[in-house]
Every structure is written in structure tokens, then in C-alpha cells.
Amino acid sequence: MRGSVRRGTTGAALAALVLGGGAVSCGKSDESPKMTPAAAVAKAAKNAETITSLTYRMTGKVPETGRVEAEATMSMKPPAMSMKMNALDQGADGKMEIRLVDQAMYLGGGEATAKELDGKSWMKFDLSGADKGAAAGAGKVPSQAGQDPSQESTFLTGSKDVKKVGTEKVDGVDTTHYKGTVTLDELRAGLKDQDKETREKREKSLKQYEDLGADKLTMDMWVGPDDRTKQVRVRAAADKGPFDVTLTFLDYNKPVTVKAPPAKDTVDLAGMMKELQEG
């Protein structure tokens, strides 16, 4: 298999996992017209803590991968995800599917991947931690796959300049648009007031942006009339290029079923990484 396939697939998977950052929230509609922007954002973020699953659409641009489009369904407990993604700047090689199920990630690239894998169209990586050497060789993908993607939706609460932009329709829903900036240092400073589990989750999410070389986020958040985050946009100046991603939430808290691809169509990624390290 050529190295370009490994780099492209792994990079796209990392992008997809980082981009699965927002979460729709849930709660009763009791927003007061006098509620400040900071309070409204905090309320929507607080409601995100009860999320169990979601379906979302993602568009944007990420470093190294370029323009991306995706739609995904995911469950937080137990962790599971099915995502169809298109890296638009990579031509025919940019289309792929990502599945996360039973502590394993499957990367499917269809015909383009099959040409590089002797007819097999899926690569598998074990995320259970059983093979630390292979995990190190695969870079950031395993650690990203274990993230709680709802954490990014809380980040605007750390902004000191959050403001109301106005009211807009998003995917047919009336929303209030809020905007602000926040640095990773400011977000970390707010973690001291959180419980241990919350701190650990948010630290992992913050590290995603550190790994991209970003230290400040510009965020837009569209909140619906029921205090649910309908859409989130995150922008950052990363070391290897601009990060600009919008996630629109389509559904939430519905049952999620993800099946592993047939074993006959799958190549074990951990074994492949060992071969690359040794070779």
C-alpha cells in the first residue's frame, strides 16, 4: 500500500473526529427575553451535558485535508459513530466512510482504497489500547476517537466578549445567533471549577486544538427557542492553515446502531502500522 493512502485516510479520520466537536443540547423552553448573551450560551451548554446521541451535518475547511463535507450519527454511551465524509480537494480519493464500534475504528474508502489494499475496502484499528506500539505509529487517531464530542459546545461559555448578533433561521428553525472569542488558556482557567470527570473530558478536547497549533477560537453559536444548540461554527488560525468548521445538528437522543464491516473486506490497520514502522 502506498504511503499516500495511509496519510490521507488517517488525516481525514482525524479531521472528522475533531470536527465531531459540537453537540446539540436539550432542555425545556423557558428562555427569558432579558437573559444576557452569556447566560443564554451557558444555559444551552449546560443542557448539552445530558446528550446521549446526535445526528449532524458538517461543512468547512481543516488544515492539510482542505474542504470537507460530512454527515454523521453518533452515540456517546456506548461510543459509536457512522460518518460519510467527502474531502472535496482530494478528488475521487476524498470520499470515505468512518465507523466506530466495539472499541474499533473502521475507515472505508470504497474503490479508491480497494485499489491500494488488494481489493479490500476497509481498514481497521483497535482502539482498546491492547497494542500501544501500533497506537503510537498511528498518530493522533486513536486518542481522538475516544473523545466526548459534546465538549466543544461548552467552549463559548469561556468567552469574555460573547454577544448577541441577531436572529436567524437555521435549517428551518428560528434561532438566536451568539458570537465570541476565547483562548485555550481562558478555557483551561475555567476548568478549576469543574469536577474531575468534566475537567478530564474538556482537557482532551482542548488538546485537539493544541495539536493543530491553535491557541484562540472564534465561535458562533445558534440557539433555538428550546435552548438547544442548533448550529456551531469554530474558526482558528492553526499552524498548518485555517480551521473553519460549521456543524448543524439534525436530530438527537435517538437510538444509534453501527455495524462493523465484513471481516473479509477489512485490513487490520494496527498490523499495517507495525509493518511501516519496521520497514
Side-chain angles (χ1 to χ4, degrees), residues 15 17 89 97 99 116 127-128 136 155 160 171 179 195 199 222 238 242 251 271 273:
L17 292 163
D89 295 328
E97 184 175 351
R99 296 183 192 178
E116 305 288 346
L127 303 179
S128 66
F155 285 175
K160 296 179 181 179
D171 205 34
K179 184 176 183 177
D195 59 76
R199 284 198 309 272
W222 288 262
D251 209 344
M273 295 303 300

Side-chain angles (χ1 to χ4, degrees), residues 11 22 64 85 91 122 136 141 150 162 168 219 221 233 235 240 243 250 259 273:
E64 298 187 305
M85 178 180 176
W122 290 89
V141 174
S150 68
V162 62
E168 302 171 21
M219 300 193 66
M221 188 172 180
R233 182 184 183 188
R235 287 171 286 166
K240 296 182 179 180
F243 181 96
L250 310 176
K259 294 183 178 180
M273 295 303 300

Side-chain angles (χ1 to χ4, degrees), residues 12 70 100 102 104 114-115 144 146 161 191 204 208 211-213 249 271:
L100 180 64
D102 296 333
K115 290 178 181 179
Q144 297 297 340
D161 61 0
L191 294 180
K204 290 179 180 179
Q208 297 175 3
D211 290 341
L212 289 173
F249 305 106

Side-chain angles (χ1 to χ4, degrees), residues 121-195:
S121 56
W122 290 89
M123 290 187 288
K124 174 186 176 181
F125 192 91
D126 180 7
L127 303 179
S128 66
D131 192 334
K132 295 182 180 179
K140 304 178 182 67
V141 174
S143 63
Q144 297 297 340
Q147 304 293 339
D148 177 355
S150 68
Q151 295 309 305
E152 277 84 351
S153 68
T154 69
F155 285 175
L156 192 53
T157 60
S159 172
K160 296 179 181 179
D161 61 0
V162 62
K163 63 181 180 180
K164 177 180 176 180
V165 177
T167 57
E168 302 171 21
K169 274 191 179 293
V170 175
D171 205 34
V173 176
D174 292 322
T175 68
T176 303
H177 181 184
Y178 300 96
K179 184 176 183 177
T181 59
V182 61
T183 66
L184 300 195
D185 287 342
E186 288 171 338
L187 287 170
R188 275 214 173 79
L191 294 180
K192 63 180 182 296
D193 298 324
Q194 306 296 330
D195 59 76

